[in-house]
Amino acid sequence: AKEARMKTRNEQEVEKRKSEAEVSYLQSCALLSEETDTAKNVLAEHRYRPDHFKGFHKEKVQHIYNENDNVIKEKYERCVQEKEHEMEWAVHQESVIRQMEEAEIERRRHMEKENQTQTAAWEIQRLEVQQRKKHMEKDRFGAIDEGFFQGFGQSC
């Protein structure tokens, strides 16, 4: 039984050492770590092997974050500028509409004035036509008035 206990203890120690070695290997293994230099090509450092790519360096990641923040800030500023432009456009449109309404009111006033002038002219013409009709009715049978005979015997 002592031998069996020793054997199991030895097996446990061997298993423990294997486990520790495996943990140590996994902690230092470039395959499982986030060591980004393993992705560099040996012949050209500016090129990366896509099958070994582990991500970017912390500086590069921070640079990407900063660029994203700048993009968000620019987008916000562009949105603010667009809103300001839209407000200016709305004010301009209101001004144009007001001017058009004033021009339309002025046109209608002018048309009303022209209509009144035309109506007055027609009334004058109607009265002249009535007077002419009265005068023609009076002279329709060739009436001779006093002025007709006064012109006889005088030279031109």
Side-chain angles (χ1 to χ4, degrees):
K2 213 178 197 183
E3 285 181 22
R5 275 187 269 162
M6 289 284 268
K7 187 176 180 183
T8 54
R9 198 178 293 161
N10 286 340
E11 286 176 2
Q12 287 176 348
E13 286 181 23
V14 169
E15 188 64 35
K16 186 176 180 181
R17 276 189 243 127
K18 280 184 182 179
S19 177
E20 288 174 356
E22 183 179 358
V23 168
S24 173
Y25 170 75
L26 291 176
Q27 288 177 344
S28 64
C29 175
L31 180 65
L32 299 177
S33 70
E34 292 185 10
E35 181 64 38
T36 58
D37 291 335
T38 58
K40 287 185 180 178
N41 192 332
V42 176
L43 301 175
E45 287 199 15
H46 66 280
R47 299 190 67 188
Y48 287 89
R49 291 183 54 186
D51 58 332
H52 287 174
F53 185 73
K54 298 285 185 182
F56 296 111
H57 291 285
K58 290 182 181 181
E59 297 85 25
K60 180 71 173 178
V61 170
Q62 188 61 41
H63 179 73
I64 291 171
Y65 285 147
N66 291 340
E67 284 182 354
N68 287 345
D69 290 341
N70 289 338
V71 167
I72 291 170
K73 189 184 300 181
E74 288 174 3
K75 182 179 178 182
Y76 175 76
E77 290 172 358
R78 187 174 50 243
C79 184
V80 167
Q81 287 177 348
E82 285 178 4
K83 285 182 181 180
E84 288 175 0
H85 180 72
E86 286 178 8
M87 289 178 66
E88 289 172 0
W89 181 251
V91 168
H92 173 72
Q93 286 296 94
E94 287 178 22
S95 170
V96 168
I97 289 171
R98 196 173 324 107
Q99 289 175 355
M100 288 176 61
E101 287 174 348
E102 290 173 2
E104 180 65 20
I105 290 170
E106 186 61 32
R107 185 187 69 81
R108 286 185 180 171
R109 282 187 195 142
H110 180 69
M111 290 290 292
E112 184 66 29
K113 189 175 180 181
E114 287 292 319
N115 286 343
Q116 289 174 355
T117 305
Q118 186 67 34
T119 304
W122 287 340
E123 185 63 27
I124 291 170
Q125 288 176 358
R126 189 181 64 78
L127 290 174
E128 287 175 356
V129 167
Q130 280 181 350
Q131 287 177 355
R132 209 175 301 126
K133 278 184 180 180
K134 282 182 183 178
H135 185 64
M136 284 180 64
E137 222 175 88
K138 185 177 167 187
D139 290 339
R140 100 176 172 201
F141 293 111
I144 300 172
D145 57 354
E146 295 176 17
F148 181 75
F149 291 111
Q150 292 177 353
F152 284 109
Q154 296 179 358
S155 56
C156 306

